[in-house]
Amino acid sequence: MRESGKADEMGVMQAEVAHRFADVQGARATWFSYARHTPDLLAKLGLIGVHDRLVVCADDFEPAFRELFRWNDPVFVSDPTPQAFLRASMDDPDSEEARLIPEGSPASYAHPAGIHADRLFWFVESEGCLGLRVPHIRALAEAAAAVGAIIIVDNTIPSYFGCNPISLGAHVVLEALDRVAEGRLEKKVVATSVARSVVGKGRRRLVSPNSEEAYRLLSFSLGDPDMPTRATALSEADVCAISDGMDSFAGRMRRHVDHAHAIAEYLFCHPAVGHVFYPGLKSHPDRALAPNVLLHGFGPAIDFSLQGTHDERMMVRHLRFLTTCTCSHRDARAGGALTRIGIAAKRDLNYLRLFAGTDDPLSIADSLDQALRLFCNPPEP
């Protein structure tokens, strides 16, 4: 009885935190789930069935999507524009005949085996892909409505502090909570938020059938958002980490974003750096659009590369640079106070991806400068 009472108490606490998370986004509901990343959660949910079509603009997650959704044969676009998504959606290789679900494939939880659903899903990152592209989410949402697509936005990089996709028309928003929880999570958690089906009143009342469909599918997979199930229940430590993190999140994110901007400006001026991609730089292709999508700055991430031609040797050079750079902190927990540097890659194209921490940006710039000097002018043996 005591264990049952404790579980009920934790369920109530988790539901309260989920309600807080939904409120800050203007969402109808939010669920928390353990998952490695957003594509992993989508695969676990069974939200996208085998007969559904999936268009993805997230080349930094392309290997994960190809593996987890190989039964769907997702279509990948590199340009996060409505035109690119519409073109990809028109290229439907399926005939009008319903296909039987391939043997051994993960059938959609929402549609029994053998039933042809043929829904259309668009997946895009609010800030992501190689080069940290920023899509025009409102324009994407309008285009999605025209073809009946459910638009799913991965909001992990800017977080709810830096972007509100639901206010821009997204139906489902996913966010990995490492940064919200300040790197204190025992296991990785992804929040799933769904837009309201009805907004406004009177003549301004708008009904979104796709939001209602998304809520129905998510409820089928995750259950009642007010009653966490065994599949969605988090540990007490993780619930507390998310709750405490939300209390201090705005102040911390302000520092993450400000530090990223300062480091990006430094890298942009360094002669040993080849390319720098940060939406706050005038050189970024989405610089004019970004302020209409991103809030409170341009996010905590920077993509950059060393001087040289991008080929198979660039990955080796970037890996060597990471071993030289003392501020890479690759073993540190994601979302914590320390600046971390890793690699974002797509086949033969790869960049160093820096997530600014709350640590001193001048110290980070000094460490980067030393590493760049040492890498470009290695000591003689």
Side-chain angles (χ1 to χ4, degrees):
M1 290 294 292
R2 288 183 178 179
E3 291 183 1
S4 177
K6 180 68 172 179
D8 291 342
E9 182 181 336
M10 282 306 305
V12 171
M13 180 180 177
Q14 179 173 326
E16 290 176 349
V17 178
H19 273 294
R20 286 179 58 198
F21 200 91
D23 286 343
V24 298
Q25 300 187 90
R28 177 177 179 177
T30 291
W31 294 263
F32 297 138
S33 310
Y34 286 120
R36 292 175 297 159
H37 40 56
T38 51
D40 181 43
L41 177 63
L42 277 181
K44 289 179 177 179
L45 291 179
L47 180 69
I48 302 172
V50 175
H51 293 314
D52 296 328
R53 292 172 293 152
L54 174 62
V55 181
V56 177
C57 184
D59 52 15
D60 41 356
F61 274 135
E62 185 173 325
F65 272 103
R66 289 193 182 280
E67 170 61 24
L68 294 169
F69 293 91
R70 58 189 182 277
W71 307 106
N72 298 85
D73 192 21
V75 179
F76 294 91
V77 296
S78 57
D79 190 15
T81 62
Q83 293 78 10
F85 273 87
L86 289 170
R87 284 195 299 270
S89 301
M90 292 173 62
D91 295 333
D92 182 9
D94 298 337
S95 66
E96 293 184 359
E97 297 182 2
R99 294 172 297 138
L100 291 177
I101 291 182
E103 183 178 355
S105 67
S108 168
Y109 296 132
H111 293 271
I115 293 182
H116 185 51
D118 196 27
R119 292 180 302 256
L120 175 61
F121 292 87
W122 290 359
F123 181 97
V124 68
E125 296 171 295
S126 54
E127 183 180 5
C129 294
L130 298 187
L132 297 173
R133 298 299 306 275
V134 179
H136 194 326
I137 297 177
R138 191 178 299 280
L140 279 173
E142 292 173 356
V147 295
I150 294 177
I151 182 168
I152 302 171
V153 176
D154 182 343
N155 200 37
T156 297
I157 289 181
S159 76
Y160 70 80
F161 172 85
C163 183
N164 189 338
I166 286 178
S167 71
L168 299 174
H171 303 119
V172 178
V173 178
L174 307 179
E175 182 177 337
L177 301 182
D178 301 281
R179 196 168 293 106
V180 172
E182 204 172 1
R184 291 170 47 199
L185 293 173
E186 295 177 338
K187 296 169 61 178
K188 288 186 174 293
V189 177
V190 176
T192 304
S193 302
V194 62
R196 301 180 187 277
S197 303
V198 179
V199 294
K201 296 181 180 180
R203 294 182 178 178
R204 295 186 177 182
R205 182 175 182 267
L206 298 176
V207 179
S208 172
N210 281 349
S211 293
E212 182 61 30
E213 174 74 352
Y215 180 79
R216 183 183 70 82
L217 294 172
L218 289 169
S219 297
F220 193 94
S221 299
L222 296 170
D224 187 338
D226 293 329
M227 299 177 61
T229 64
R230 179 176 297 182
T232 60
L234 307 184
S235 69
E236 181 177 1
D238 285 341
V239 173
C240 290
I242 296 169
S243 179
D244 294 344
M246 289 183 69
D247 292 337
S248 62
F249 192 49
R252 289 187 289 110
M253 273 300 293
R254 180 73 275 162
R255 295 171 65 190
H256 283 293
V257 172
D258 288 347
H259 293 180
H261 203 151
I263 295 169
E265 294 283 1
Y266 156 76
L267 288 170
F268 186 73
C269 297
H270 201 289
V273 175
H275 301 280
V276 182
F277 298 96
Y278 183 71
L281 297 176
K282 292 182 179 180
S283 58
H284 195 276
D286 303 317
R287 175 61 179 84
L289 170 65
N292 298 318
V293 177
L294 302 178
L295 308 170
H296 313 301
F298 300 95
I302 306 163
D303 279 0
F304 68 102
S305 65
L306 303 176
Q307 282 282 10
T309 304
H310 271 280
D311 54 24
E312 64 276 4
R313 293 171 294 179
M314 185 59 81
M315 175 68 82
V316 176
R317 298 182 69 213
H318 283 162
L319 287 171
R320 285 173 50 206
F321 175 80
L322 288 178
T323 63
T324 305
C325 186
T326 59
C327 69
S328 62
H329 298 135
R330 301 182 73 188
D331 296 329
R333 285 195 171 190
L338 294 177
T339 296
R340 298 171 72 247
I341 308 176
I343 292 180
K346 174 188 176 182
R347 294 189 287 275
D348 59 342
L349 181 62
N350 61 89
Y351 295 113
L352 292 159
R353 177 163 290 178
L354 182 150
F355 286 95
T358 57
D359 43 1
D360 184 5
L362 293 178
S363 176
I364 298 302
D366 182 62
S367 297
L368 286 169
D369 188 66
Q370 293 184 40
L372 288 166
R373 290 174 183 272
L374 183 62
F375 187 81
C376 295
N377 300 287
E380 296 183 3

